[in-house]
Amino acid sequence: MPKTLELMKTTYKAVVFEHYNKNGLNSRPNAWALLFGKQAYKLAKNPYSDEIVPDFEPEVACEKAVEDEDYWMYKFRDLGYHTLQDWLGASINWPNCRGFVRPPAKHFMKPFQKRSEESAGSDIRDMFAALCRETYEDTTLYLDQFMSAYMNESQLGFIWNNDLAHSDVNGLFHSDEHFYQMLRKHERRLEKAFVIVMGDHGLRFGGIRNTEIGEMEDNNPFLMVSVPAKYRDSGLLNVIKENAKKLITHYDTYATLMEIAELVKQNNLDGLLNPKTEVFRKGHGSSYLRHSMIEPRNCKTLRIPFEFCSCHKEFEVPLDPDSDLVRQMSDNVLAHFNFMIDAGNVTSLCSEMSVQYQKSKAERLILDDGREMYRFTMTLNPSDVFTGYVEVLREGDKVKIAVVTERFERVNEYGEQGDCVENFEDLRPLCYCNQSWF
């Protein structure tokens, strides 16, 4: 989106955070970090750290309503701001979670979005298809109308579109003019606003994802921040530019929004003209509007899962896929997948999987402590390509394969292939529903 990016950088003096790192495989763990500042999944023991337990188990996060969470949207709402939020169905509610029981914002898009997605909403979908209308046009129209309606009043709008570029590396580009024109239209309004443009994770599917650059892009979502015009020539912008060079996560964006809410409550936003030196902590993050942040800044201290850590990793050349060790890795990971499916009691719904051994790829990670850990990619029939980490444990002549990545990432798009187990978040990428279900 070159026009939008150039406008944000030149007119709004926006800062791009080059080392933004996702906190989890897909949208749910990243949403919990961004919205509530909490860790929703266990971080397994790895070369960087021991096991880090979550704030609560994923099942609990799914079953509980989120009204009691410390959400920055609630803070601004309670301070008298007009608030807007779309449904966030793919992040908080997916696949079958309670999420928000009550509207979290004054303007909540769920009724329209829910209606258009359910089976009874086929007329809406057909009409939009005939008009070549995409979902981002609806959410941005909602935001556009919201900004216009409360032109001279305090407001907070938050939209999350997961259709535009979720599965297509070229998906963003055709929307460039649309976002450019919206930002130009509201330029005067946004002179008094913080503007955050971001992604929760990068592209997870497709041929590019199977490359080194694709893996880096997946782990390194976009983050761009602009501050109100009155702060753009102050020390605040220099602080943000310095912090943009650091390793940053969704936890830090959460803390940043919470600090802004706290400053509004104190009627002290102008305190940002001279940023404080002490760390502002909230949840598992720290605000990047201050000189100091949580230190040291690495994947261990920032609760970034080892397999998604964007810090540099070096690997040896891949092992021969026909070697006994690589075959043993393939068999063990497949057994791990089958165990997960059996534990979910959905074995009868899923097709039997087999390994395409010639396509297995094991690259040893170079570690100072000599541990034998591999980035492992395998192809299964019929589910296709998965990637994660395994560790080889040797005791004399015995070799044991330990699965480090409990949730191997499936890097090809799977659409409706796992819909027979759609209520099982971990199993949907693994299960290729058999013909009896279809």
Side-chain angles (χ1 to χ4, degrees):
M1 301 172 67
K3 288 185 68 174
T4 302
L5 181 62
E6 183 64 20
L7 177 68
M8 287 295 297
K9 285 185 171 181
T10 56
T11 301
Y12 296 98
K13 294 190 177 180
V15 178
V16 175
F17 287 65
E18 296 183 359
H19 306 291
Y20 203 53
N21 206 125
K22 72 177 186 179
N23 289 98
L25 173 65
N26 54 11
S27 291
R28 279 197 70 227
N30 293 304
W32 274 90
L34 174 63
L35 274 60
F36 312 128
K38 289 188 174 180
Q39 178 188 330
Y41 290 84
K42 179 182 72 175
L43 272 64
K45 184 177 180 180
N46 59 73
Y48 297 164
S49 70
D50 291 329
E51 178 181 307
I52 302 177
V53 297
D55 291 296
F56 35 68
E57 294 301 320
E59 296 79 10
V60 176
C62 191
E63 294 168 0
K64 71 190 293 287
V66 298
E67 270 69 23
D68 293 333
E69 295 299 328
D70 201 10
Y71 180 23
W72 37 264
M73 180 67 75
Y74 302 155
K75 300 290 187 183
F76 286 97
R77 178 196 63 192
D78 295 344
L79 288 167
Y81 274 58
H82 299 288
T83 53
L84 172 145
Q85 179 176 303
D86 65 0
W87 181 29
L88 300 180
S91 55
I92 298 299
N93 294 78
W94 189 89
N96 192 29
C97 301
R98 292 191 70 188
F100 296 101
V101 175
R102 299 187 299 274
K106 179 178 180 179
H107 299 274
F108 192 34
M109 204 174 181
K110 179 178 178 178
F112 169 77
Q113 290 177 304
K114 186 72 172 174
R115 181 64 174 174
S116 64
E117 292 174 3
E118 62 190 13
S119 58
S122 58
D123 289 344
I124 299 175
R125 294 193 298 274
D126 291 344
M127 179 183 68
F128 285 168
L131 295 172
C132 295
R133 187 176 181 84
E134 299 180 57
T135 57
Y136 79 89
E137 296 174 272
D138 299 318
T139 53
T140 52
L141 175 61
Y142 198 47
L143 181 61
D144 180 11
Q145 294 172 338
F146 174 71
M147 286 193 285
S148 298
Y150 302 108
M151 179 66 72
N152 298 312
E153 301 175 63
S154 298
Q155 55 186 165
L156 172 65
F158 177 41
I159 58 173
W160 179 317
N161 186 283
N162 68 331
D163 294 332
L164 187 56
H166 189 270
S167 304
D168 183 1
V169 70
N170 297 311
L172 281 175
F173 297 101
H174 73 283
S175 65
D176 189 10
E177 186 67 24
H178 178 91
F179 284 98
Y180 173 82
Q181 292 298 338
M182 189 179 77
L183 289 167
R184 286 294 303 272
K185 175 181 177 180
H186 294 284
E187 187 173 325
R188 186 175 176 183
R189 177 73 183 91
L190 296 177
E191 284 184 353
K192 299 180 180 180
F194 292 88
V195 181
I196 299 177
V197 182
M198 62 178 297
D200 64 317
H201 57 75
L203 188 72
R204 292 182 53 219
F205 307 116
I208 291 179
R209 178 57 185 82
N210 291 323
T211 67
E212 293 285 341
I213 295 297
E215 181 178 356
M216 290 173 59
E217 199 278 334
D218 181 7
N219 297 334
N220 179 211
F222 187 72
L223 173 64
M224 178 167 61
V225 177
S226 170
V227 300
K230 67 184 297 184
Y231 307 130
R232 293 173 192 166
D233 295 316
S234 71
L236 176 62
L237 199 63
N238 291 329
V239 167
I240 293 174
K241 287 179 179 179
E242 284 302 309
N243 286 332
K245 300 174 185 177
K246 301 176 181 177
L247 187 63
I248 300 291
T249 75
H250 298 306
Y251 293 125
D252 301 312
T253 297
Y254 169 81
T256 299
L257 290 165
M258 293 294 277
E259 182 186 13
I260 295 172
E262 187 67 26
L263 290 169
V264 171
K265 183 178 180 180
Q266 298 170 356
N267 195 26
N268 188 34
L269 267 178
D270 284 349
L272 292 173
L273 290 167
N274 295 293
K276 294 183 178 180
T277 55
E278 61 267 26
V279 177
F280 180 90
R281 296 171 179 259
K282 204 69 175 178
H284 297 304
S286 55
S287 171
Y288 40 70
L289 303 182
R290 296 201 175 194
H291 287 282
S292 301
M293 300 184 71
I294 292 173
E295 299 288 348
R297 302 199 65 78
N298 56 51
C299 292
K300 173 184 177 180
T301 61
L302 303 183
R303 297 180 178 235
I304 299 171
F306 167 73
E307 51 267 52
F308 308 132
C309 180
S310 58
C311 294
H312 181 64
K313 303 184 183 82
E314 291 188 4
F315 299 88
E316 297 179 357
V317 297
L319 301 179
D320 182 353
D322 284 329
S323 67
D324 292 339
L325 183 58
V326 175
R327 282 180 168 263
Q328 187 176 348
M329 291 179 192
S330 300
D331 292 339
N332 277 57
V333 174
L334 177 57
H336 173 67
F337 290 173
N338 286 329
F339 174 81
M340 292 174 63
I341 291 172
D342 292 344
N345 198 29
V346 293
T347 308
S348 62
L349 299 176
C350 304
S351 300
E352 185 177 352
M353 294 181 287
S354 61
V355 180
Q356 296 186 41
Y357 291 104
Q358 285 296 320
K359 295 184 178 181
S360 294
K361 185 179 181 181
E363 304 161 279
R364 184 170 180 174
L365 176 64
I366 299 174
L367 297 170
D368 293 336
D369 62 7
R371 292 175 63 181
E372 194 173 349
M373 185 168 291
Y374 293 83
R375 178 171 63 186
F376 186 65
T377 303
M378 65 186 299
T379 301
L380 299 177
N381 287 325
S383 298
D384 223 343
V385 185
F386 295 85
T387 185
Y389 283 82
V390 299
E391 184 174 5
V392 176
L393 305 173
R394 300 180 184 272
E395 186 176 342
D397 295 334
K398 295 181 179 179
V399 176
K400 179 182 178 181
I401 308 297
V403 176
V404 176
T405 304
E406 293 187 10
R407 301 176 73 202
F408 262 61
E409 184 164 10
R410 184 169 173 180
V411 296
N412 66 296
E413 190 173 3
Y414 45 89
E416 300 177 353
Q417 293 173 4
D419 278 4
C420 59
V421 293
E422 63 179 353
N423 290 337
F424 296 84
E425 180 183 1
D426 293 352
L427 303 184
R428 187 165 170 260
L430 304 180
C431 177
Y432 194 103
C433 300
N434 57 41
Q435 292 300 316
S436 63
W437 184 82
F438 290 104

